[in-house]
Amino acid sequence: MSIICLEGISAVGKTTTAEELAHTTNVCVIPEVNLLFERPRKSSNTWYLERQVERWCLAEEKLKDYETVILDGDVFQPLSYNWCFDFQIYNQSLDFISEFYQKAIQAGRIQFPHKYFYLYANETNLRWRKENDQTRTRKNFEKHTGISQSHQRYYEALNQFRPGYVKLLEAASSKEAAKVVFHQRPLAAKDLNPEILLQNITRWLKENKA
């Protein structure tokens, strides 16, 4: 049984690939935070972080009925996303976010996925996808396109700490991407030490600028 994460910037095809997997294989898909939860007008500084933990708990619950659960977006996304903007957008420092996750890991509330698939595409392809997707407005598309290289670099860096952990996947076709995801073997939970991995990631983020 495994929990797999699909990542990549806006309009790259994470959701359509996840939907293709759900239609063709026996997997369960956990949507991103903004599709699962409605944020209240007034919320704490950890609201979004807590919802990521809740997504993980939901994924683990679904493993009782499914061999594979797909996370549409990373439960540790606040680390990569905030780093891309130099931790200037949500009033959350790297230490703040890392400490939150460290406590959640120690409490057994969250773990790292067993495998990441990072979907990427060139800007022309991304813009075509955005313009032809009538289901979502993607108001922050330009902002997300501007961080595409940094965002990908973060996930490439994860392979330094656990070789083969992240599979980069060109998102030319959701059907082809889904086939690759389905046939890749994820890591076993025993091969991942979440506390050490978080420590390595935090150190790398401190040493490298987006």
Side-chain angles (χ1 to χ4, degrees):
M1 296 188 295
S2 57
I3 298 175
I4 292 170
C5 178
L6 301 183
E7 253 302 341
I9 65 168
S10 178
V12 77
K14 298 187 296 295
T15 300
T16 52
T17 299
E19 289 173 347
E20 179 66 25
L21 280 161
H23 290 156
T24 57
T25 64
N26 185 32
V27 303
C28 177
V29 177
I30 307 298
E32 62 184 64
V33 166
N34 295 331
L35 294 180
L36 269 181
F37 309 101
E38 183 176 354
R39 187 163 193 157
R41 283 190 172 183
K42 294 183 178 180
S43 58
S44 71
N45 203 26
T46 60
W47 183 90
Y48 192 81
L49 295 164
E50 290 288 355
R51 299 295 77 74
Q52 295 290 13
V53 171
E54 197 168 339
R55 288 178 70 226
W56 179 263
C57 293
L58 180 58
E60 286 194 320
E61 182 68 22
K62 292 297 183 181
L63 281 182
K64 296 176 181 178
D65 300 313
Y66 295 87
E67 283 291 319
T68 303
V69 176
I70 305 293
L71 290 168
D72 183 359
D74 191 5
V75 289
F76 289 88
Q77 180 256 12
L79 284 169
S80 61
Y81 191 77
N82 282 280
W83 173 73
C84 286
F85 293 101
D86 199 27
F87 298 93
Q88 298 296 313
I89 53 174
Y90 293 123
N91 194 31
Q92 293 175 332
S93 68
L94 172 57
D95 287 339
F96 177 87
I97 298 170
S98 183
E99 183 179 354
F100 173 89
Y101 278 121
Q102 182 182 36
K103 290 179 178 177
I105 289 171
Q106 291 172 346
R109 299 172 61 218
I110 196 170
Q111 301 286 330
F112 279 90
H114 302 117
K115 183 79 175 179
Y116 280 101
F117 291 89
Y118 189 87
L119 279 64
Y120 67 92
N122 60 42
E123 186 173 335
T124 301
N125 235 331
L126 292 172
R127 291 189 180 280
W128 184 90
R129 288 170 186 262
K130 175 186 180 297
E131 291 166 4
N132 288 275
D133 183 359
Q134 304 302 316
T135 64
R136 301 175 68 177
T137 58
R138 301 187 190 277
K139 295 178 181 179
N140 294 317
F141 176 80
E142 295 298 334
K143 181 169 70 173
H144 291 165
T145 303
I147 64 168
S148 60
Q149 292 184 354
S150 296
H151 195 249
Q152 181 172 329
R153 188 156 60 94
Y154 167 89
Y155 285 94
E156 290 174 335
L158 298 189
N159 283 330
Q160 297 177 22
F161 315 125
R162 189 60 178 84
Y165 187 33
V166 180
K167 168 75 173 177
L168 268 68
L169 187 57
E170 187 170 8
S173 160
S174 59
K175 289 186 177 182
E176 292 303 315
K179 288 180 182 178
V180 173
V181 173
F182 180 72
H183 288 101
Q184 287 282 322
R185 180 175 295 179
L187 299 175
K190 64 180 179 62
D191 295 327
L192 288 168
N193 185 321
E195 288 192 66
I196 297 298
L197 184 54
L198 178 61
Q199 290 171 14
N200 286 332
I201 291 170
T202 302
R203 184 177 66 251
W204 186 89
L205 291 172
K206 287 181 177 180
E207 294 173 353
N208 294 272
K209 288 290 186 181

